[in-house]
Amino acid sequence: MTGHQDTLVIEMDSSLRTPGTGVKGVVRIHPDQASRHELSVVHVELLAVATGVEMKQMENGTHTTPVMREILLDYKEALWDSKAPPMYGHIVQAGFIRCPFAFHFPTHPLPPSYQSIAVSMSAAVRYFVRVTGRLKGWKLSGITHPHIRVVQAFPFVPFDDLPPRAPLEYMPVARHATEIPVRKGIMGGYGNVEAEVFLPAVECFPLFTDIPITVHVKCFSKEMPHFHGSNSSHFTFPLPPSTPNAVELDLIRTCHYDISEHSSNLGSVGGFGKMHPATNGPASHIKTDIGPPTWLQHHGLKHEGRWWQEVTFRSNIVFRCSPTFGIPKLRITYHLELKIPFHGMGNDVHLTIPLDGISSGIYRKAPLEPSTKTLDLHQAYWVLGDIKDIRDAV
């Protein structure tokens, strides 16, 4: 519920919408305030607006330049007129005039809700209801604008264009791997770390769905004399991570705008690493298999060998971010970043795992259950002061 000095108030829910669904609510008009401000007419709009702002740090503060402002959707209807008889459905309740409204989303393609904030740029695709009232006596009442406007945002995602998938745990898997030499100090021999990540081999990963992921790490010590092979206490570096907290797996979103781009870390996923409000499941839900240290005899040198040990983590990811999309001037992509820290300079393991796409996971023939699915959106998505005056026509 939002309001402007109690003159106009929007009552509607902010649940997730999809193409063809309804946007219904009630605008509550305060008759005393309406009379005092000489409120003449009220309109209600269903709007979708794409915006982009470049930001530069100047000596006197941050300078912002709008670089994109496109109205993607604009439905408008008259709601109330002080000179006209009450419209159908209008009622007076508890001293307020209650005016219902209803819109339906079109079925043509629209981008999903989106919001990103970075040092040099911000971009958004917002969906919201805006109620505008024209005031006759705005100058006399001390209001500085001939209109009063209230807005309420809600999230939207398009349907998934791909056919419904088989359970992802039964899909073929794609392997992503890296291998680096590591050394404990600036002198001495090198050990080795191998890291693998396995994900379902799909064209797009759906939202709100358990996505199985496996992280497999193998650590090999430097070459050692063969008599060290009788006691695993000689195996001290590099040791594989023993808990999911020692592995960082982050979701990275990149916003591509014309010739510039910026990336944002959306936090850990799958229960790995530092916990995040959007983290999908605590670490206790991760299955961890730690193999025993094993001596590996060198094939060519009988008097040398090395220790190795492996660990496997099995978990699930659930994405709740904005799906990937592209419109003129703006598109977003995602990838996963795996990081496994090891002691010593330059020894951390890094692996970038591209995600070809993230789709809504909601299909035309499967109705959306109200309030069961929510998007993780930046809090700025819900702050609509910068687009209340996207256009002045009422």
Side-chain angles (χ1 to χ4, degrees), residues 250-267:
D250 293 339
L251 178 63
I252 309 297
R253 179 175 62 203
T254 301
C255 175
H256 309 264
Y257 179 79
D258 282 355
I259 61 174
S260 64
E261 65 179 46
H262 70 84
S263 295
S264 303
N265 189 327
L266 301 187

Side-chain angles (χ1 to χ4, degrees), residues 349-361:
V349 175
H350 294 269
L351 177 60
T352 297
I353 303 138
L355 302 174
D356 292 336
I358 295 178
S359 59
S360 70

Side-chain angles (χ1 to χ4, degrees), residues 211-353:
I211 301 167
I213 183 170
T214 299
V215 178
H216 182 222
V217 184
K218 270 187 177 181
C219 291
F220 298 84
S221 73
K222 65 181 181 181
E223 297 287 349
M224 298 180 179
H226 69 92
F227 54 82
H228 284 180
S230 61
N231 189 342
S232 62
S233 65
H234 293 288
F235 183 23
T236 60
F237 181 83
L239 295 176
S242 58
T243 67
N245 292 334
V247 176
E248 299 176 21
L249 183 66
D250 293 339
L251 178 63
I252 309 297
R253 179 175 62 203
T254 301
C255 175
H256 309 264
Y257 179 79
D258 282 355
I259 61 174
S260 64
E261 65 179 46
H262 70 84
S263 295
S264 303
N265 189 327
L266 301 187
S268 59
V269 294
F272 293 92
K274 297 178 181 179
M275 303 307 287
H276 180 271
T279 297
N280 306 281
S284 60
H285 291 175
I286 299 179
K287 183 179 179 182
T288 303
D289 295 317
I290 302 176
T294 303
W295 176 256
L296 181 64
Q297 188 69 43
H298 196 293
H299 291 296
L301 301 173
K302 295 183 179 180
H303 300 294
E304 289 189 2
R306 57 179 180 166
W307 286 96
W308 72 278
Q309 188 177 16
E310 64 182 345
V311 61
T312 303
F313 303 104
R314 293 180 177 87
S315 184
N316 287 297
I317 296 172
V318 180
F319 292 134
R320 296 184 177 89
C321 52
S322 300
T324 50
F325 71 91
I327 59 175
K329 295 187 177 182
L330 176 66
R331 67 184 179 92
I332 61 168
T333 58
Y334 293 93
H335 67 271
L336 294 173
E337 284 281 354
L338 176 73
K339 178 183 176 181
I340 307 174
F342 286 91
H343 178 74
M345 184 177 299
N347 288 335
D348 292 349
V349 175
H350 294 269
L351 177 60
T352 297
I353 303 138

